[in-house]
């Protein structure tokens, strides 16, 4: 059997009658007339439809009216993809070819199926993941972005959708007639570009990420109107790990993140020292698996949702969101991680998104094809980025502030960089000048060797920054959570005793990952003293959940 045949069988497995009977308790039998829609692109799908009798046609359709068949499915097959785990809008059209009888399993019951029917659940969830991957590769079912591919706002929206694993297409009005007509009709002013044409027909003019997410139905708004056992703030490795362990142990969990799942780990083009993946895995793929796994156990993903304030005055604790909504939870896990530092260079702000990047996805990589670029940083993230970009860039000038890479980079990456002809490492070197055009597009970069004082200036349009991290704790400034001198969150013995000789609890010191406020925990890169590694962050997520249970067991006795 060929690899293609094997992948198709995994993507479209067929259930026998006995297996379908085992699933009946999770759903309701519905009947559809010939031509009737089971799924409509852009509308919330009813769940997973297992075909008992009849056949359906699956079609991908974009908001501009173009369509193409994907597959026809019949008895024993099921219609769904990953979005049905969380009740998101469908990315495909599905119509009955003939009389159809189907077992429709809603999202909540689909999650229960994954747990209670483990063998069947494994086959189903693999198929759902592979189908989402295929839709992403085809750009099917999501919005169409219209604008020049080098536009900073096009890149911004593409990056947002890519990091959230959401299919989309890009059309350049200079090359596509339909796109040019839409621009002429809806946005003669170039400042309105890019247009985002959504599956339900909504046309947005240069939207923010939050506006686009709302139009696509990415955030389950109604899920905020309840009190959760645990609210996890941040969907990086630590946050997703906590969500998986907490949800799998029966706690109700909501995960909030301002932008996308994955955190900084999601930006890693290849992780080769993570246990269990000897051939390596991209950060995006690893985090996407964790994202699906958390949903499998019932965690609610409210992404993107920015938490602007944590109110600790009452129980349950209240998290205020940027869109004036709020979420209540008995316990809070802070996993907001850390963000890459910015350069202290004049005009820096002018070039963010216009030549300065913090992420090395294929979107940014294609922009620097056959060009000389600068990559700043000496840690593993910088090394992984350099190795990825070597296949695109003509030359990579890797600027390291310290005297060598050995101080902060794994040996396997150092050896690979040394063996790469188009990467040149400049130690004791930092950027001192950025220069651009009237349109604020980066055009030239100047750097200085801090030992010799020699300065070099080159015509470079792209700079990638991986220069250490600052904790994402600004939203905690009005809370009572103790921070260290660098604004990382203090936990455990570091907050005991408090300055006035007392603690937040009544009968003992905080648990190791507990903050200065009881039942509020900090894990991962945002925590003072944490090991800034993916594996360590995931470990803290698991440990943090054990401490949640310990805190609940103490109840009011703390």
């Amino acid at each position: 059997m060929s690899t293609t045949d094997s992948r198709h069988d995994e993507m479209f497995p067929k259930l026998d009658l006995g297996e379908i009977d085992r699933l009946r308790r999770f759903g309701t039998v519905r009947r559809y007339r010939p031509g009737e829609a089971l799924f409509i692109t852009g509308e919330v799908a009813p769940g997973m439809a297992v075909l008992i009798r009849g056949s359906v046609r699956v079609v991908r359709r974009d908001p501009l009216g173009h369509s193409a068949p994907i597959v026809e499915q019949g008895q024993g097959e099921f219609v769904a993809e990953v979005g049905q785990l969380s009740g998101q809008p469908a990315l495909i059209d599905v119509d009955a070819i003939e009389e159809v009888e189907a077992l429709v399993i809603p999202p909540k019951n689909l999650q229960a199926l994954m747990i209670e029917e483990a063998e069947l659940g494994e086959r189903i969830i693999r198929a759902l993941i592979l189908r989402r991957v295929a839709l992403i590769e085809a750009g099917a079912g999501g919005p169409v972005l219209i604008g020049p591919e080098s536009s900073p706002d096009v890149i911004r929206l593409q990056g947002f959708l890519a990091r959230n694993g959401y299919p989309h297409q890009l059309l350049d009005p200079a090359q596509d007639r339909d796109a040019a007509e839409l621009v002429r009709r809806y946005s003669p002013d170039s400042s309105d570009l890019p247009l985002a044409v959504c599956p339900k027909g909504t046309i947005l003019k240069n939207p923010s990420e939050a506006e686009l997410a709302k139009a696509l139905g990415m955030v389950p708004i109604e899920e905020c109107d309840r009190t959760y056992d645990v609210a996890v703030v941040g969907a990086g490795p630590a946050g997703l790990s906590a969500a998986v362990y907490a949800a799998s142990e029966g706690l109700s969990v909501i995960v909030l993140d301002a932008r996308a799942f994955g955190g900084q780990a999601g930006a890693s083009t290849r992780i080769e020292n993570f246990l269990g993946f000897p051939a390596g895995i991209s950060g995006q793929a690893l985090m996407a698996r964790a994202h699906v796994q958390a949903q499998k156990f019932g965690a609610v993903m409210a992404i993107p949702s920015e938490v602007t304030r944590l109110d600790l005055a009452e129980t349950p604790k209240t998290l205020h969101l940027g869109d004036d909504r709020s979420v209540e939870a008995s316990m809070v896990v802070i996993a907001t991680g850390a963000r890459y530092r910015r350069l202290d260079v004049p005009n820096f702000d002018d070039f963010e998104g216009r030549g300065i990047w913090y992420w090395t996805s294929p979107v940014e990589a294609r922009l620097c094809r056959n060009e000389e670029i600068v990559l700043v940083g000496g840690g593993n993230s910088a090394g992984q980025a350099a190795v990825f970009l070597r296949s695109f860039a003509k030359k990579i000038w890797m600027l390291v502030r310290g005297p060598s890479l050995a101080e902060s980079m794994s040996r396997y990456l150092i050896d690979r960089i040394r063996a790469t002809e188009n990467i040149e490492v400049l130690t004791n070197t930092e950027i001192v000048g950025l220069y651009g055009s009237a349109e604020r597009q980066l055009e030239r970069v100047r750097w200085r060797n801090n030992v010799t004082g020699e300065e070099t200036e080159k015509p470079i349009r792209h700079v990638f920054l991986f220069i250490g991290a600052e904790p994402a704790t600004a939203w905690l400034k009005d809370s009572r959570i103790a921070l260290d001198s660098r604004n990382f969150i203090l936990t455990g013995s570091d907050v005991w005793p408090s300055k006035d000789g007392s603690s937040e609890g009544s009968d003992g010191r905080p648990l190791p990952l507990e903050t200065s406020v009881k039942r509020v925990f900090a894990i991962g890169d945002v925590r003072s003293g944490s090991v800034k590694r993916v594996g360590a962050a995931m470990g803290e997520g698991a440990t943090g959940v054990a401490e949640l249970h310990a805190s609940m067991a103490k109840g009011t006795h703390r």
Side-chain angles (χ1 to χ4, degrees):
M1 180 182 291
S2 70
T3 302
T4 302
D5 290 339
S6 176
R7 181 182 173 90
H8 182 274
D9 290 343
E10 290 182 319
M11 193 181 300
F12 299 104
K14 193 167 186 177
L15 308 179
D16 61 35
L17 292 177
E19 290 170 329
I20 293 175
D21 284 341
R22 284 160 55 187
L23 300 183
R24 287 182 182 271
R25 61 194 174 97
F26 297 102
T28 303
V29 174
R30 292 184 56 182
R31 291 170 177 79
Y32 299 87
R33 300 182 303 275
E36 188 174 354
L38 282 73
F39 287 17
I40 299 174
T41 300
E43 296 190 8
V44 174
M48 183 176 81
V50 183
L51 302 178
I52 300 171
R53 181 172 58 86
S55 59
V56 299
R57 182 177 293 108
V58 181
V59 176
R60 73 185 215 200
R61 173 171 57 86
D62 70 29
L64 303 184
H66 307 130
S67 62
I70 296 177
V71 69
E72 291 186 5
Q73 295 184 269
Q75 181 178 331
E77 296 184 287
F78 54 87
V79 181
E81 57 87 36
V82 162
Q84 276 64 74
L85 275 173
S86 54
Q88 289 195 348
L91 299 175
I92 50 173
D93 286 347
V94 181
D95 298 317
I97 297 174
E98 55 192 333
E99 292 282 349
V100 167
E101 183 179 322
L103 177 67
V104 178
I105 303 174
K108 291 293 184 185
N109 292 3
L110 183 54
Q111 293 166 2
L113 181 161
M114 299 292 177
I115 307 304
E116 297 176 32
E117 292 286 349
E119 183 183 353
L120 278 175
E122 182 179 345
R123 290 169 60 195
I124 291 169
I125 202 163
R126 178 161 180 78
L128 302 187
I129 292 171
L130 289 174
R131 291 176 188 183
R132 172 57 71 96
V133 170
L135 291 173
I136 291 173
E137 291 173 348
V144 174
L145 303 179
I146 297 177
E149 69 172 9
S150 60
S151 160
D153 286 311
V154 166
I155 296 167
R156 170 178 61 83
L157 294 177
Q158 276 193 298
F160 167 71
L161 293 167
R163 291 194 64 177
N164 280 288
Y166 209 93
H168 62 279
Q169 298 179 60
L170 173 63
L171 297 179
D172 190 331
Q175 301 174 10
D176 186 278
R177 183 179 302 174
D178 290 341
E181 175 59 24
L182 276 172
V183 169
R184 185 191 65 78
R185 186 181 307 172
Y186 291 101
S187 60
D189 187 339
S190 61
S191 65
D192 290 337
L193 293 180
L195 295 179
V197 187
C198 300
K200 295 184 74 171
T202 305
I203 298 178
L204 305 176
K205 298 179 180 180
N206 195 10
S208 66
E209 288 92 333
E211 289 169 337
L212 180 58
K214 183 177 181 180
L216 296 176
M218 291 174 63
V219 182
I221 296 174
E222 69 283 354
E223 295 287 358
C224 292
D225 298 329
R226 55 181 285 201
T227 298
Y228 290 86
D229 293 326
V230 184
V232 179
V233 187
L240 290 178
S241 173
V244 168
Y245 282 98
S248 68
E249 294 174 13
L251 299 177
S252 60
V253 180
I254 186 168
V255 180
L256 304 125
D257 194 288
R259 182 167 171 79
F261 66 82
Q264 287 190 39
S268 296
T269 52
R270 192 157 207 80
I271 301 173
E272 296 187 65
N273 59 353
F274 189 75
L275 188 67
F277 292 90
I281 184 172
S282 74
Q284 178 74 6
L286 181 64
M287 293 296 96
R289 294 181 184 191
H291 182 244
V292 172
Q293 191 175 17
Q295 292 178 79
K296 165 186 170 180
F297 289 118
V300 173
M301 295 291 163
I303 304 174
S305 292
E306 181 182 13
V307 180
T308 57
R309 184 165 59 90
L310 176 58
D311 188 348
L312 302 170
E314 298 180 358
T315 300
K317 306 175 193 319
T318 302
L319 298 100
H320 295 273
L321 309 183
D323 59 4
D324 296 327
R325 290 180 298 147
S326 61
V327 172
E328 293 186 343
S330 299
M331 295 174 287
V332 176
V333 175
I334 302 172
T336 44
R339 300 189 176 106
Y340 286 114
R341 292 194 183 102
R342 304 159 82 245
L343 292 175
D344 184 15
V345 177
N347 304 324
F348 180 86
D349 293 351
D350 291 344
F351 303 119
E352 280 191 298
R354 289 173 166 79
I356 292 177
W357 315 105
Y358 304 91
W359 162 270
T360 53
S361 76
V363 175
E364 291 83 13
R366 73 161 185 263
L367 295 175
C368 61
R369 189 180 295 279
N370 299 322
E371 293 191 18
E372 292 193 17
I373 67 171
V374 166
L375 191 149
V376 184
N380 278 358
S381 294
Q384 290 159 353
V387 170
F388 171 68
L389 292 171
R390 67 182 174 176
S391 300
F392 298 87
K394 176 182 177 182
K395 171 90 173 187
I396 299 174
W397 298 96
M398 192 169 183
L399 310 187
V400 182
R401 192 172 184 179
S404 74
L405 291 174
E407 295 181 356
S408 54
M409 187 179 292
S410 297
R411 172 55 57 181
Y412 79 93
L413 282 171
I414 294 174
D415 292 342
R416 193 166 296 169
I417 288 169
R418 285 176 177 170
T420 303
E421 293 184 358
N422 65 334
I423 300 177
E424 184 167 345
V425 179
L426 304 178
T427 58
N428 300 304
T429 302
E430 60 184 331
I431 290 177
V432 293
L434 299 168
Y435 313 99
S437 65
E439 293 77 27
R440 295 193 303 170
Q441 173 63 47
L442 182 64
E443 292 184 343
R444 302 186 68 81
V445 178
R446 174 178 286 270
W447 60 80
R448 179 176 60 223
N449 183 298
N450 290 326
V451 174
T452 66
E454 180 183 359
E455 294 192 359
T456 302
E457 184 173 316
K458 287 188 172 292
I460 285 173
R461 301 192 309 134
H462 299 285
V463 173
F464 293 84
L465 298 181
F466 300 91
I467 54 174
E470 296 174 341
T473 52
W475 62 285
L476 295 171
K477 63 182 179 180
D478 295 324
S479 72
R480 293 178 285 118
I481 293 175
L483 307 177
D484 68 12
S485 59
R486 297 186 299 152
N487 291 321
F488 289 88
I489 298 175
L490 294 169
T491 57
S493 59
D494 290 336
V495 295
W496 173 271
S498 60
K499 291 180 180 179
D500 62 2
S502 63
S503 78
E504 187 68 26
S506 60
D507 70 343
R509 62 188 63 197
L511 294 162
L513 298 178
E514 195 168 19
T515 69
S516 55
V517 176
K518 65 180 181 180
R519 296 201 172 189
V520 178
F521 298 80
I523 57 175
D525 288 3
V526 76
R527 189 178 69 82
S528 179
S530 66
V531 177
K532 309 310 192 233
R533 296 275 184 164
V534 172
M538 289 185 171
E540 288 197 4
T543 303
V545 172
E547 292 189 12
L548 294 179
H549 287 294
S551 179
M552 287 189 293
K554 290 183 178 182
T556 58
H557 297 294
R558 270 207 75 231

